[in-house]
Amino acid sequence: MSWLPRLLSWLGSYSSEIMPGRIHPKDPHLLSNVLIGDRFCNDSVIALTVWKHSLVFSCNGFTVFDPDGKIVFKVDNYYSDPNDHALLMDDAGNPLLTMQRKRFSLHHEWEAFIGGKMDGQKPLFVVKRRFLLPTRVLAQIYVGSINKKSHPDYQIEGSYAKTSCTVYNSSRNVVVEMRRKQVTSDITLGGDVFSVIVQPGYDQAFVMGFIVMLHHIMAPNYSRSMY
C-alpha cells in the first residue's frame, strides 16, 4: 500500500487549499480543551483525513493522516473481540487511549482510559447513546465521571450513515465536523475515507477517540462488520 500515503498527501494538500487555517493565538482558553496532550492541539483549524483501515496486514483499525499526508494516529485492533475494545496510538505506536464497551449498561456506552488501561483506573471520558434522544442526536460525550453530571460536555449530531456529523460543546459551539472526503468540487470519496475538521485548541487525540467509539456504537446498526 505504498501508494496510499502519497494519495492522501495529495488529498490533504487539496483540503488545505479549499479550507485555509484560521490562525488563533495560543491562550489559556485554548489549552483548557487538552485531555491527552497539548502536542495534539493546533492554534488553527486542521483537517485530518481518516481511512477506516489499518496499515497492518490482517488487522482491523483506522489510519489518520494530517494535511501533509503524514500518519498522526493509528487504531490497530489486536484484541480477541474487536467489537468490545480498541486502542488509539500515535504515529510511533505509543498507546494514547484504551477504549472499551461498558458491560451491563442499559445504553450503548463506551469508556476511554488514558494510555494502556490499568486496574482501578477511572475513565477519562465516556461516549453514550441514549435511545430516547432526538433522532438528530447520535451520542453524548461526558468528560470525567458521568455519574456527577446532568448534562453532557459534548453532543454529536447528524447522520452516521452519510458520514455527516457535527460535534457541539455545551455552549452549542461547533467543535468538530465529519464529512465525506472531497477530492475535487465534483468528486467525493466513499464512506471509508472521510475528513475530520477540528477547531483550534481541541485535542485531536480526544477527537479521534470519540470518533472511534462512535463508530463502534453506530456501525452494528448498518453492518455486521465493525470495519
Side-chain angles (χ1 to χ4, degrees):
M1 299 182 196
S2 59
W3 54 269
L4 182 65
R6 292 195 297 270
L7 170 63
L8 291 176
S9 176
W10 177 76
L11 295 179
S13 300
Y14 182 82
S15 295
S16 300
E17 293 174 3
I18 65 174
M19 194 199 68
R22 299 192 295 272
I23 303 301
H24 293 252
K26 289 186 176 180
D27 58 40
H29 173 69
L30 293 182
L31 295 179
S32 67
N33 298 310
V34 176
L35 267 75
I36 290 88
D38 56 9
R39 67 188 176 107
F40 302 118
C41 299
N42 271 39
D43 55 8
S44 61
V45 176
I46 185 169
L48 302 175
T49 297
V50 180
W51 188 46
K52 287 198 287 188
H53 290 278
S54 170
L55 296 179
V56 178
F57 182 72
S58 299
C59 183
N60 293 326
F62 290 75
T63 307
V64 185
F65 301 83
D66 70 9
D68 296 321
K70 298 178 181 177
I71 296 176
V72 286
F73 301 111
K74 300 182 291 185
V75 179
D76 297 329
N77 207 323
Y78 303 103
Y79 292 99
S80 58
D81 189 350
N83 293 344
D84 289 340
H85 297 83
L87 180 66
L88 177 71
M89 298 174 287
D90 64 13
D91 60 325
N94 300 308
L96 300 175
L97 287 174
T98 299
M99 298 161 283
Q100 64 182 38
R101 182 173 64 87
K102 185 175 181 179
R103 298 187 181 278
F104 311 115
S105 172
L106 296 177
H107 309 282
H108 287 304
E109 186 173 337
W110 275 66
E111 299 174 318
F113 302 85
I114 196 74
K117 181 177 181 267
M118 300 176 64
D119 291 340
Q121 185 178 358
K122 295 182 179 180
L124 183 65
F125 63 93
V126 175
V127 178
K128 173 180 285 192
R129 184 186 184 201
R130 298 181 187 272
F131 292 106
L132 297 180
L133 289 173
T135 54
R136 72 178 185 280
V137 178
L138 300 179
Q140 295 175 322
I141 304 167
Y142 297 81
V143 177
S145 176
I146 191 173
N147 298 324
K148 298 180 180 180
K149 295 185 176 181
S150 57
H151 299 287
D153 296 285
Y154 302 93
Q155 190 155 280
I156 307 173
E157 302 180 10
S159 171
Y160 173 83
K162 296 179 180 179
T163 318
S164 177
C165 305
T166 303
V167 183
Y168 299 91
N169 63 15
S170 57
S171 300
R172 294 297 295 175
N173 296 318
V174 174
V175 173
V176 176
E177 295 174 272
M178 298 166 53
R179 61 194 186 202
R180 294 283 178 90
K181 186 74 178 182
Q182 190 174 3
V183 180
T184 68
S185 58
D186 299 322
I187 300 176
T188 302
L189 299 180
D192 281 355
V193 181
F194 59 93
S195 295
V196 175
I197 315 302
V198 184
Q199 292 300 308
Y202 282 93
D203 193 317
Q204 297 154 36
F206 166 56
V207 170
M208 281 312 307
F210 68 66
I211 287 176
V212 171
M213 293 159 78
L214 176 68
H215 173 75
H216 277 270
I217 290 172
M218 299 298 298
N221 296 325
Y222 299 95
S223 69
R224 296 183 62 185
S225 174
M226 295 302 300
Y227 296 92

